[in-house]
Amino acid sequence: MVLSNERTAGSRPATPQRRRAANLLRQDLALADFGARRFRLRSGAAREQLETSARSFLAGFNAAAEWRSEDRLASDIAAIDAPMRGFAFEGAGMACALLDILTCARGRRTRALLDGPGSDYRHLIHVGTGWAFAKLRLRPGPWARTGTDPLLRWLAWDGFGFHQGFFHSDRVVGGTRVEPGLTGDRRAIRDQGLGRALWFHECADPDGVALRIAEFPAGRRGDLWSGIGLAATYAGGVSADELALLAGHAGTYRAELAQGCAFASAARRLSGIVPRHTETAAAVLAGAPVAVAAGWTDQAMARLGPHDGTSGQYQRWRAEIRQLWTGHVQGEQ
């Protein structure tokens, strides 16, 4: 995965100030190395798949930090392998949100990304904004609402949780710690993101994931399994047999696992790029094709009625997806 260094027609030359800012923000792709992060290392395809996902995120971040035109950013991300572009747009979402916060731009760059080259990756970009807040040791707040979807904006808390698990794993994963004062819906959504991070932390090992989640308080495990379902479906890295083992380990949290799978299926469907590992995960974890699992997110959203943009409504959205999965399973029996 390499970004193009060619300039696109119409690119504006960077100012000295912008070049300095881009150099300060630039992320080293070595940050994705699991050995350096002290994550689980195992043989097989999982490590390369997940490290490539992380490098794509960092490449997208760097591309957005240097963004001089929509065409240039789109061109840079188009140079990344198609199944990995979602991670690149997640990184771009982080960079744009970070610049918006630091320059008091009231979401201008993030809106431009959502309305322009990232329009097919809205879920991932909203997740990426949460990384920006975590990086600055802030929490996603009212200023994160500007120009974002009233429900998808809560994915910023998911991104916040992933960041904490990925970069502060001793405290957040090993110590099962939660940030002070973080309770209720925000903690639950944050833990979905932490569950996604656990998929990377355990290098997609089903046994390792199950043992790790068992160390957390019972009241948090459902949200963690939701994140596992999302990451296993979107990022992949395992075989159908390993996915079946994962589903078995989920036990009473099968509905949460399927809900995360449905979220990932919806994000993949929107992008128009559905890799084989997503199709396999949907079949095993949700017991349905990608289109059906993704459709549950639409049906569940329709059941909510007018969107009030509250965390409670976001949580009801997740609950409705779980109910639709349960009805699907019962109908199959």
Side-chain angles (χ1 to χ4, degrees), residues 20-159:
R20 284 195 294 270
N23 288 334
L24 287 171
L25 291 173
R26 175 172 289 277
Q27 300 295 301
D28 187 345
L29 300 190
L31 288 170
D33 182 78
F34 280 17
R37 305 229 65 80
R38 295 183 293 112
F39 287 3
R40 180 186 295 271
L41 304 178
R42 67 187 189 112
S43 59
R47 180 179 178 183
E48 178 59 27
Q49 175 80 2
L50 298 181
E51 285 186 337
T52 299
S53 301
R55 287 194 297 270
S56 299
F57 175 99
L58 295 169
F61 179 97
N62 290 339
E66 298 174 353
W67 188 4
R68 288 181 292 281
S69 73
E70 290 187 8
D71 288 345
R72 171 69 188 279
L73 179 61
S75 163
D76 283 349
I77 293 182
I80 295 173
D81 290 343
M84 296 294 169
R85 288 175 197 160
F87 297 104
F89 275 109
E90 184 179 350
M94 177 188 179
C96 288
L98 195 62
L99 288 166
D100 282 338
I101 296 167
L102 292 174
T103 62
C104 300
R106 301 180 64 85
R108 176 176 59 81
R109 293 177 181 85
T110 305
R111 285 196 304 274
L113 181 64
L114 284 165
D115 295 339
S119 60
D120 291 339
Y121 294 90
R122 303 184 67 81
H123 302 78
L124 281 301
I125 291 170
H126 281 87
V127 168
T129 65
W131 282 73
F133 287 97
K135 179 71 173 177
L136 295 173
R137 299 186 179 182
L138 300 172
R139 299 183 183 186
W143 57 91
R145 301 178 184 180
T146 305
T148 58
D149 184 280
L151 281 185
L152 292 186
R153 71 181 179 86
W154 288 102
L155 287 171
W157 279 102
D158 182 302

Side-chain angles (χ1 to χ4, degrees), residues 198-199 202 204-214 225 228 246:
L198 289 180
W199 186 248
E202 298 301 318
D205 177 59
D207 293 332
V209 164
L211 289 171
R212 184 66 70 178
I213 291 179
W225 277 110
I228 293 296
L246 185 73

